[in-house]
Short mmCIF file of all heavy atoms in Angstrom, two decimals:
data_model
loop_
_atom_site.label_atom_id
_atom_site.label_comp_id
_atom_site.label_asym_id
_atom_site.label_seq_id
_atom_site.Cartn_x
_atom_site.Cartn_y
_atom_site.Cartn_z
N ALA A 24 171.68 70.87 165.61
CA ALA A 24 170.79 69.77 165.21
C ALA A 24 170.44 68.92 166.40
O ALA A 24 169.29 68.45 166.55
CB ALA A 24 171.45 68.95 164.11
N LEU A 25 171.42 68.69 167.30
CA LEU A 25 171.16 67.88 168.48
C LEU A 25 170.17 68.57 169.40
O LEU A 25 169.24 67.93 169.93
CB LEU A 25 172.49 67.60 169.21
CG LEU A 25 172.40 66.74 170.48
CD1 LEU A 25 171.84 65.35 170.14
CD2 LEU A 25 173.77 66.60 171.14
N MET A 26 170.31 69.87 169.59
CA MET A 26 169.40 70.60 170.45
C MET A 26 167.98 70.63 169.88
O MET A 26 166.98 70.51 170.61
CB MET A 26 169.92 72.02 170.64
CG MET A 26 171.23 72.10 171.43
SD MET A 26 171.08 71.37 173.07
CE MET A 26 169.93 72.49 173.82
N LEU A 27 167.86 70.78 168.56
CA LEU A 27 166.53 70.74 167.94
C LEU A 27 165.87 69.38 168.11
O LEU A 27 164.65 69.27 168.34
CB LEU A 27 166.63 71.11 166.46
CG LEU A 27 167.00 72.57 166.16
CD1 LEU A 27 167.18 72.77 164.66
CD2 LEU A 27 165.93 73.53 166.67
N PHE A 28 166.64 68.34 168.00
CA PHE A 28 166.09 67.00 168.15
C PHE A 28 165.59 66.78 169.57
O PHE A 28 164.52 66.19 169.79
CB PHE A 28 167.17 65.97 167.76
CG PHE A 28 166.74 64.55 168.00
CD1 PHE A 28 165.81 63.92 167.16
CD2 PHE A 28 167.23 63.83 169.10
CE1 PHE A 28 165.42 62.61 167.39
CE2 PHE A 28 166.83 62.53 169.34
CZ PHE A 28 165.92 61.92 168.47
N LEU A 29 166.40 67.24 170.56
CA LEU A 29 166.00 67.08 171.95
C LEU A 29 164.74 67.90 172.25
O LEU A 29 163.83 67.44 172.96
CB LEU A 29 167.16 67.49 172.86
CG LEU A 29 168.41 66.58 172.83
CD1 LEU A 29 169.52 67.16 173.71
CD2 LEU A 29 168.06 65.17 173.28
N ALA A 30 164.69 69.13 171.71
CA ALA A 30 163.50 69.96 171.94
C ALA A 30 162.27 69.34 171.30
O ALA A 30 161.18 69.32 171.89
CB ALA A 30 163.75 71.37 171.40
N TYR A 31 162.37 68.79 170.09
CA TYR A 31 161.23 68.16 169.40
C TYR A 31 160.74 66.94 170.17
O TYR A 31 159.55 66.70 170.31
CB TYR A 31 161.65 67.81 167.97
CG TYR A 31 160.57 67.11 167.18
CD1 TYR A 31 159.51 67.84 166.62
CD2 TYR A 31 160.58 65.73 167.01
CE1 TYR A 31 158.52 67.20 165.90
CE2 TYR A 31 159.61 65.09 166.30
CZ TYR A 31 158.57 65.82 165.74
OH TYR A 31 157.59 65.19 165.03
N SER A 32 161.73 66.15 170.70
CA SER A 32 161.35 64.95 171.46
C SER A 32 160.66 65.32 172.74
O SER A 32 159.71 64.67 173.18
CB SER A 32 162.61 64.11 171.74
OG SER A 32 163.20 63.70 170.52
N ALA A 33 161.11 66.40 173.39
CA ALA A 33 160.50 66.82 174.64
C ALA A 33 159.07 67.33 174.42
O ALA A 33 158.18 67.13 175.24
CB ALA A 33 161.36 67.90 175.30
N ILE A 34 158.87 68.00 173.30
CA ILE A 34 157.51 68.52 173.03
C ILE A 34 156.54 67.40 172.74
O ILE A 34 155.39 67.40 173.19
CB ILE A 34 157.55 69.54 171.86
CG1 ILE A 34 158.33 70.79 172.30
CG2 ILE A 34 156.16 69.94 171.42
CD1 ILE A 34 158.59 71.76 171.18
N ASN A 35 156.90 66.41 171.95
CA ASN A 35 156.00 65.32 171.53
C ASN A 35 155.95 64.19 172.53
O ASN A 35 155.30 63.17 172.27
CB ASN A 35 156.45 64.77 170.19
CG ASN A 35 156.23 65.79 169.07
OD1 ASN A 35 155.32 66.62 169.14
ND2 ASN A 35 157.09 65.73 168.03
N TYR A 36 156.59 64.30 173.66
CA TYR A 36 156.57 63.22 174.66
C TYR A 36 155.18 63.19 175.30
O TYR A 36 154.65 64.21 175.73
CB TYR A 36 157.65 63.46 175.71
CG TYR A 36 157.70 62.38 176.76
CD1 TYR A 36 158.24 61.13 176.47
CD2 TYR A 36 157.21 62.63 178.04
CE1 TYR A 36 158.30 60.15 177.44
CE2 TYR A 36 157.25 61.65 179.02
CZ TYR A 36 157.80 60.40 178.72
OH TYR A 36 157.84 59.43 179.68
#
Side-chain angles (χ1 to χ4, degrees):
L25 181 61
M26 293 302 294
L27 291 175
F28 174 74
L29 292 176
Y31 178 78
S32 299
I34 293 172
N35 292 331
Y36 181 75

